[in-house]
Amino acid sequence: MNGTGTEPVAESVRLTQVPKGARVIGYPVYSVDETDGYMLDSQVGLKYPRDMTKVPDHAGKPMTVEPHKRSDFYAMVEVHVTGRVQHHLGGCQITSSQKGKKYRQTLRCDVALDMK
């Protein structure tokens, strides 16, 4: 939610903590309108949760958040499991700009992979 009177532009997002056994392939960005809300998980080929490879990916395009509004876009992380993952992925780093000034903020986040 943008609580300011100016328009910040979200430029990129990435995880700062990727443990051994996981490899980040990309950070696709989706529209809540095109995915019928926020999809919290997905797997290629599944009907539900939705196969996100069939939905437009808006990554690489700056996203402007209007003053006092929520963005209609959200980022996901696409991960390839290469081995046993023993720790959560985390550290959501967002790069943005506002009024010509760049900002980088790392937020606490955890992405757990169940290794049953």
Side-chain angles (χ1 to χ4, degrees), residues 15-92:
L15 295 175
T16 60
Q17 300 159 13
V18 180
K20 185 176 178 181
R23 181 171 48 94
V24 173
I25 303 213
Y27 299 95
V29 175
Y30 300 110
S31 164
V32 294
D33 295 330
E34 295 167 346
T35 57
D36 299 324
Y38 296 99
M39 298 299 293
L40 299 178
D41 63 353
S42 176
Q43 190 171 345
V44 173
L46 291 183
K47 291 186 180 176
Y48 189 84
R50 176 176 287 171
D51 179 351
M52 300 302 275
T53 63
K54 309 256 190 274
V55 180
D57 178 1
H58 300 275
K61 302 171 195 160
M63 301 291 161
T64 301
V65 183
E66 293 181 40
H68 309 287
K69 302 275 181 172
R70 290 184 190 271
S71 174
D72 292 332
F73 295 93
Y74 63 99
M76 292 180 77
V77 59
E78 184 177 0
V79 176
H80 181 198
V81 176
T82 60
R84 185 139 187 86
V85 179
Q86 296 185 4
H87 303 284
H88 292 182
L89 291 81
C92 296

